[in-house]
Amino acid sequence: MKNPHSLIKITKLFIILVSGVAVFNSKSIANTIIEPIDLYDQITNLQNQSHINIVGLDKIQNENKIDTRGNTEQQIEQLLSTYNHIISRTAKGDIERIIIVNKKQKTNSQRITLPTTHHGNHYSVSATLSGDGNLWESIDMVIDTGADIVVLPESMISKLGMNNNNFKNQSMQTANGMTNAKIGSLHSIKIAGETVENVQVAFIADKLLGNNRLLGMSALNHYQINIDDQQQLITLIKN
């Protein structure tokens, strides 16, 4: 007859082995990446991976998934290219929150409606900029029809793929008085699917702008601008 203590030991060993397999399997399942089946899944996965709060996911319609490439911000712009959306950022410029407003409507191509955020007496819109056509930055920009050109902080020069040697130095009037500025041209600015190329830009010291980036008339002079305060929408009408 077998030693009953041996049987107990064997039974305990079997239980430990079975438990080990169960734990291993549960970890394997947890680490399995579920392939997105549509656009909604793609955006949800991106939200979970990047820890960005995305509001308005219920507005995503039944659409096929799309191929994306680039960094997180570039993927966001690609995934939401057919939706009006607002991007909010932290003081460091990182994306903190995205509000999906609605599906872009196929309307007269001469009219472009921009969802905005309201800050005091100013409106901000989300725009994507490039200095060389290769490096892109998505930022919030204050619409400033009183500024002759687009105004950005000097710290963005390298981020946009631009070279300090390609600017001319010029004095410029700002809200804080006269200051030195580096004047050049952006490759293009994209706003709500609209692209404006060869946009004159001034780069000035970061401390003079604070967190503002000004979308001036060098980008907006191709349009008439209608502002709807009640709906917080801006409509650009091509001249």
Side-chain angles (χ1 to χ4, degrees):
M1 180 176 178
K2 293 183 177 179
N3 187 334
H5 296 291
S6 299
L7 288 174
I8 293 173
K9 290 181 180 179
I10 293 172
T11 303
K12 287 183 177 179
L13 178 61
F14 176 74
I15 291 172
I16 292 171
L17 288 174
V18 171
S19 300
V21 171
V23 171
F24 174 78
N25 286 339
S26 65
K27 288 184 177 179
S28 299
I29 292 171
N31 290 331
T32 299
I33 298 175
I34 300 175
E35 183 68 21
I37 61 174
D38 56 17
L39 181 63
Y40 180 90
D41 277 354
Q42 282 185 288
I43 296 174
T44 302
N45 286 351
L46 186 65
Q47 175 181 234
N48 294 335
Q49 293 166 11
S50 59
H51 306 293
I52 295 172
N53 180 23
I54 301 180
V55 178
L57 281 168
D58 57 301
K59 297 181 174 65
I60 300 296
Q61 301 175 10
N62 296 325
E63 297 187 40
N64 295 328
K65 66 179 182 179
I66 62 175
D67 293 330
T68 61
R69 62 182 63 188
N71 59 33
T72 299
E73 292 200 19
Q74 291 167 334
Q75 291 183 54
I76 288 171
E77 289 300 325
Q78 293 162 37
L79 291 173
L80 294 177
S81 62
T82 58
Y83 288 85
N84 291 316
H85 59 281
I86 300 169
I87 297 178
S88 298
R89 297 174 182 274
T90 65
K92 294 181 179 180
D94 298 324
I95 295 179
E96 180 179 42
R97 189 169 185 246
I98 298 173
I99 302 173
I100 300 172
V101 180
N102 52 32
K103 175 80 172 176
K104 291 179 182 177
Q105 300 298 316
K106 294 182 178 179
T107 56
N108 188 334
S109 61
Q110 300 300 307
R111 302 174 69 91
I112 303 99
T113 301
L114 308 177
T116 67
T117 51
H118 201 186
H119 301 288
N121 297 323
H122 301 288
Y123 287 93
S124 294
V125 298
S126 178
T128 304
L129 298 73
S130 177
D132 63 354
N134 294 313
L135 293 179
W136 295 85
E137 285 286 317
S138 296
I139 60 174
D140 289 339
M141 301 190 74
V142 175
I143 290 184
D144 189 348
T145 55
D148 292 335
I149 61 178
V150 170
V151 182
L152 299 172
E154 286 185 358
S155 60
M156 288 193 67
I157 291 176
S158 60
K159 294 179 181 179
L160 295 172
M162 304 180 77
N163 191 317
N164 269 300
N165 297 326
N166 296 333
F167 298 105
K168 66 176 182 179
N169 294 319
Q170 181 177 313
S171 293
M172 179 177 175
Q173 180 67 45
T174 70
N176 298 315
M178 297 296 294
T179 188
N180 294 324
K182 297 179 179 179
I183 308 297
S185 291
L186 296 172
H187 176 275
S188 54
I189 295 179
K190 296 181 180 179
I191 313 169
E194 187 75 4
T195 300
V196 183
E197 298 180 341
N198 193 27
V199 180
Q200 191 177 32
V201 60
F203 290 94
I204 65 176
D206 288 45
K207 63 182 179 181
L208 296 178
L209 277 178
N211 292 324
N212 295 319
R213 287 93 172 96
L214 306 182
L215 188 63
M217 293 308 296
S218 58
L220 299 173
N221 61 6
H222 303 282
Y223 309 93
Q224 297 177 37
I225 304 172
N226 289 339
I227 299 176
D228 186 334
D229 286 320
Q230 185 174 2
Q231 297 295 323
Q232 292 192 7
L233 293 175
I234 293 178
T235 301
L236 304 180
I237 304 171
K238 288 185 179 180
N239 293 325

